[in-house]
Amino acid sequence: MKVLILNGSPRKAGKVSQILHIMEKCLQDANNETEFIDVNNLDFKCCIGCMKCRENGTCILPQDDAHKIGKALQNCDALIVGSPVYWGNINGKLKCLFDRQVAVMMGENKMGIPIPLLKGKKAIVVNTCTTPFPFNILAGQSTKAYTAVKEILSYSGFKIKGKLMIGGTKNMEVLPARFIKAAERLARKL
């Protein structure tokens, strides 16, 4: 199985990055092919909202890393998306990347009803939040970020196989063993 891992965290040693690398190792140990991409290292322009991709099935902006990610999304069997929670949502650069993937991920019929273009693929969503548990859930911080990714992936045809939402990372020096085990368990679900 080919698994694309999109790391929305700008912190190479942050909790999201750590979790995604744990999942990557677990998948590789099970003989899966993985591609780990740090979104913050990508060079691409933001969507300009021209809607030309809806007409011709491809983004009209000059070739950049967003086009490469589009091909990777088409070629993967499964996707893992990880992001820290910023103001109750995913990292801005990750959101900009998804905005550029409309032509690859979702079409529409003549009435404007979404048509998923990536049916049959599986996904896992990971997010971390400095707001302590359970307030990260009660205040909607982690849940809103998860819902944003879920909406993008669901409309694209992905089946969400699991999620990992970790609150209280502000003073978390070491990733607790329970989260490591949860990450490994989720990776095996793919």
Side-chain angles (χ1 to χ4, degrees), residues 37-70:
I37 295 175
D38 284 309
V39 173
N40 286 295
N41 292 343
L42 299 177
D43 184 23
F44 62 91
K45 294 182 189 263
C46 292
C47 175
I48 58 173
C50 69
M51 303 304 281
K52 295 290 183 189
C53 64
R54 296 291 182 128
E55 295 171 21
N56 61 21
T58 187
C59 178
I60 64 161
L61 292 176
Q63 287 291 314
D64 60 16
D65 288 341
H67 290 92
K68 292 175 189 171
I69 297 301

Side-chain angles (χ1 to χ4, degrees), residues 10 14 22 53 60 80 102:
I22 289 165
C53 64
I60 64 161
I80 300 175
V102 170

